[in-house]
Amino acid sequence: MDRKLVVFVPREALDTVREALFAAGAGRIGDYERCSWYTEGTGTFLGGKSTAPSVGQPGREQRVAELRLETVFPEELQAEVVEALRRAHPYEEPAFDIYQRL
């Protein structure tokens, strides 16, 4: 059964993250490849003293223009897809969700 990945990325990292996910086996729907969807939004965070954010400074709330990126992948590739996401994403702690597709 397929799963859906939803991840928030800064615009400048969109293509890098998409390419990594597709290389790991995500983005296939039937005979179609490289399937994804994204829309704009604003992410917020406040890093603690021990953080090293790629945007902003620890202890200071940040608001960042981000894209919500969605794609699908076969459940047996979840470990590979998550590893590819973490390697390609510029954030120290990328925010993402994985949903079971029915």
Side-chain angles (χ1 to χ4, degrees):
M1 186 162 283
D2 282 350
R3 297 200 171 162
K4 179 180 272 192
L5 170 69
V6 177
V7 60
F8 301 93
V9 299
R11 179 175 290 283
E12 62 274 8
L14 177 66
D15 290 337
T16 300
V17 172
R18 285 179 73 238
E19 291 301 327
L21 294 173
F22 296 154
R28 291 182 179 265
I29 301 175
D31 289 334
Y32 292 86
E33 296 180 25
R34 301 175 60 82
C35 301
S36 68
W37 182 84
Y38 62 89
T39 189
E40 296 181 22
T42 302
T44 65
F45 63 89
L46 188 150
K49 292 180 181 179
S50 66
T51 63
S54 61
V55 176
Q57 301 171 358
R60 192 167 178 194
E61 184 174 328
Q62 300 297 312
R63 294 178 187 200
V64 182
E66 294 178 324
L67 300 174
R68 175 187 169 120
L69 170 63
E70 299 186 20
T71 192
V72 296
F73 64 90
E75 65 183 332
E76 63 269 14
L77 295 180
Q78 182 168 321
E80 292 88 344
V81 168
V82 170
E83 181 180 335
L85 168 64
R86 290 188 182 279
R87 276 196 323 264
H89 202 289
Y91 290 174
E92 186 175 32
E93 294 290 342
F96 66 94
D97 297 302
I98 296 175
Y99 300 97
Q100 183 74 45
R101 293 186 65 212
L102 302 177

